[in-house]
């Protein structure tokens, strides 16, 4: 596996951990200001995870074309 692909996978794992932390805040008793910020960060982090998934898929596809 290429170093680039490994880096993307590590980044994805880190973002999943961050997303999980925001989810825990959202699952806790409601605090409007905390929940609002966490909701926004959760969505932002999920968008980033989706982008990383596309980058990983691109790396895998380019590896298939090379080999």
């Amino acid at each position: 596996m290429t170093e680039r692909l490994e880096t993307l996978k590590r980044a994805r794992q880190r973002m999943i951990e961050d997303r999980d932390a925001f989810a825990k805040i959202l699952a806790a008793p409601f605090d409007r200001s905390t929940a609002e910020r966490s909701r926004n960060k959760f969505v932002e982090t999920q968008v980033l995870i989706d982008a990383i998934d596309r980058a990983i898929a691109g790396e895998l596809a380019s590896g298939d074309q090379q080999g």
Side-chain angles (χ1 to χ4, degrees), residues 10-21:
R10 283 193 310 273
R12 184 181 190 280
Q13 185 57 43
R14 173 67 190 274
M15 291 301 100
I16 288 172
E17 292 167 6
D18 287 355
R19 181 193 63 193
D20 290 349

Side-chain angles (χ1 to χ4, degrees), residues 50-65:
D50 293 342
I52 293 171
D53 285 344
R54 290 190 305 273
I56 289 171
E59 283 297 311
L60 292 172
S62 69
D64 288 345
Q65 292 173 356

Side-chain angles (χ1 to χ4, degrees), residues 10-60:
R10 283 193 310 273
R12 184 181 190 280
Q13 185 57 43
R14 173 67 190 274
M15 291 301 100
I16 288 172
E17 292 167 6
D18 287 355
R19 181 193 63 193
D20 290 349
F22 294 124
K24 287 178 185 177
I25 293 169
L26 293 171
F30 186 74
D31 173 353
R32 182 179 209 89
S33 63
T34 304
E36 188 172 312
R37 181 182 182 284
S38 294
R39 184 174 47 245
N40 291 337
K41 295 300 282 181
F42 180 92
V43 170
E44 179 182 303
T45 305
Q46 184 60 47
V47 168
L48 181 54
I49 291 168
D50 293 342
I52 293 171
D53 285 344
R54 290 190 305 273
I56 289 171
E59 283 297 311
L60 292 172

